[in-house]
Amino acid sequence: MPIARELREAVYRANMALAESGLVMGTFGNVSAVDRAAGVFVIKPSGVPYGALSPDDMVPVSLETGKVLEGTLRPSSDTPTHLALYRAFPCGGIAHTHSEVATAFAQARLPIRCMGTTHADYFCSDIPVTRPLTKGEVDGAYEMETGNVIIERFAELKLEAMRTPGVLVANHGPFTWGSDAFKAIEHAEVLEFLARLEWRVRTLAPDVPLPDDYLVDRHFERKHGPKAYYGQRT
C-alpha cells in the first residue's frame, strides 16, 4: 500500500477545496497535512495545475529529514516552509495562498490589526507580518528561511501559534494553519475576509483606537478556550 494513503486523499481534497475557494489563481498556493505518529506530511506537487491533480500525485515527505518518501513528482517549492512550521508549531495542516487583499498587506508590510470581535473569533491578536528576508537568506535555503522568519516573529511577539493561526510573510503572502488541512483553509478564508475589513477600517478611520484586550479575549475564548460555549456539543 502506498505511504500515507488516507493522508494523501485528505490532502488532495483539501487542495481541491483551496482551488474552489477563490483564494488562489493558476498553480499558486498549496495545502499540506501531517501525521506526526508516522513522521510524515503530505503536500501538493510543484507547478501541477489543480485540475490535473489526483490523490496519487500528493507527495509524502519525511518530517525528520525533509526528503520525499515516495513517487517521482517534486513537492511544492514551499515544502521547506511547511517543514519548519510543523517542527515549530503544534498544527495538523498548513495552507499557503496569494489571496489578493492579504497579499497586499504582506507587500505593504502591514499587520492585519485585530479591530473587533469578527477578528477575535478566530485570531486572538493582530495577524503579524514578518521582517523581510536578507539577501543571504534569499540566496541560501530560501524557503526554509521563510519558515524561520515566521517562527522568529512569533517568538518576538510571544504569540501562541494556535491562538494566532496565520501570518503575513513580508513581500510574499499569507500562511495559515490549523488542527487539520481543512481548518487551515478555513483560517485562510477568514484571514482574507479580515484583510478586506482592515483595508476599509484604515480608509474610514485610520486613527481609531484598538479594542480592549478583555473584549478580544472573551470572543476568542468563547469559541476556542477550555470553557468555550459557542456552537453545539458533539
Side-chain angles (χ1 to χ4, degrees), residues 10-25:
V11 170
Y12 166 75
R13 293 195 305 272
N15 275 282
M16 293 301 98
L18 184 67
E20 293 168 3
S21 72
L23 298 179
V24 298
M25 59 174 287

Side-chain angles (χ1 to χ4, degrees), residues 69-152:
L69 295 173
E70 187 176 276
T72 60
L73 292 176
R74 291 188 298 177
S76 167
S77 57
D78 294 309
T79 296
T81 307
H82 289 239
L83 177 61
L85 296 181
Y86 282 129
R87 288 173 172 174
F89 297 161
C91 56
I94 296 170
H96 173 48
T97 78
H98 291 254
S99 60
E100 182 177 359
V101 183
T103 299
F105 272 87
Q107 293 182 171
R109 302 183 188 175
L110 292 172
I112 299 171
R113 299 172 301 169
C114 182
M115 298 303 296
T117 61
T118 306
H119 186 124
D121 277 341
Y122 288 88
F123 297 85
C124 197
S125 71
D126 297 351
I127 298 165
V129 61
T130 70
R131 64 168 174 82
L133 274 72
T134 67
K135 186 176 187 303
E137 289 166 338
V138 172
D139 289 346
Y142 168 55
E143 290 83 4
M144 181 64 76
E145 295 295 353
T146 298
N148 288 341
V149 297
I150 295 171
I151 296 161
E152 172 191 282

Side-chain angles (χ1 to χ4, degrees), residues 21-205:
S21 72
L23 298 179
V24 298
M25 59 174 287
T27 58
F28 284 165
N30 44 71
V31 187
S32 70
V34 67
D35 181 340
R36 293 187 182 274
V40 61
F41 70 98
V42 172
I43 193 166
K44 171 183 174 285
S46 179
V48 179
Y50 284 91
L53 292 173
S54 73
D56 289 335
D57 295 325
M58 302 299 107
V59 184
V61 178
S62 168
L63 195 58
E64 179 180 2
T65 67
K67 302 294 186 183
V68 172
L69 295 173
E70 187 176 276
T72 60
L73 292 176
R74 291 188 298 177
S76 167
S77 57
D78 294 309
T79 296
T81 307
H82 289 239
L83 177 61
L85 296 181
Y86 282 129
R87 288 173 172 174
F89 297 161
C91 56
I94 296 170
H96 173 48
T97 78
H98 291 254
S99 60
E100 182 177 359
V101 183
T103 299
F105 272 87
Q107 293 182 171
R109 302 183 188 175
L110 292 172
I112 299 171
R113 299 172 301 169
C114 182
M115 298 303 296
T117 61
T118 306
H119 186 124
D121 277 341
Y122 288 88
F123 297 85
C124 197
S125 71
D126 297 351
I127 298 165
V129 61
T130 70
R131 64 168 174 82
L133 274 72
T134 67
K135 186 176 187 303
E137 289 166 338
V138 172
D139 289 346
Y142 168 55
E143 290 83 4
M144 181 64 76
E145 295 295 353
T146 298
N148 288 341
V149 297
I150 295 171
I151 296 161
E152 172 191 282
R153 189 65 177 138
F154 270 66
E156 289 171 347
L157 296 174
K158 297 180 171 60
L159 295 177
E160 295 181 36
M162 302 311 285
R163 291 173 67 86
T164 304
V167 69
L168 305 174
V169 177
N171 306 113
H172 187 169
F175 284 82
T176 55
W177 47 86
S179 57
D180 58 31
F182 292 95
K183 189 58 81 169
I185 294 171
E186 180 182 348
H187 290 154
E189 292 173 322
V190 172
L191 189 152
E192 177 66 9
F193 178 73
L194 296 176
R196 292 199 299 271
L197 287 181
E198 170 69 331
W199 179 20
R200 288 165 171 77
V201 170
R202 286 177 180 266
T203 302
L204 288 168

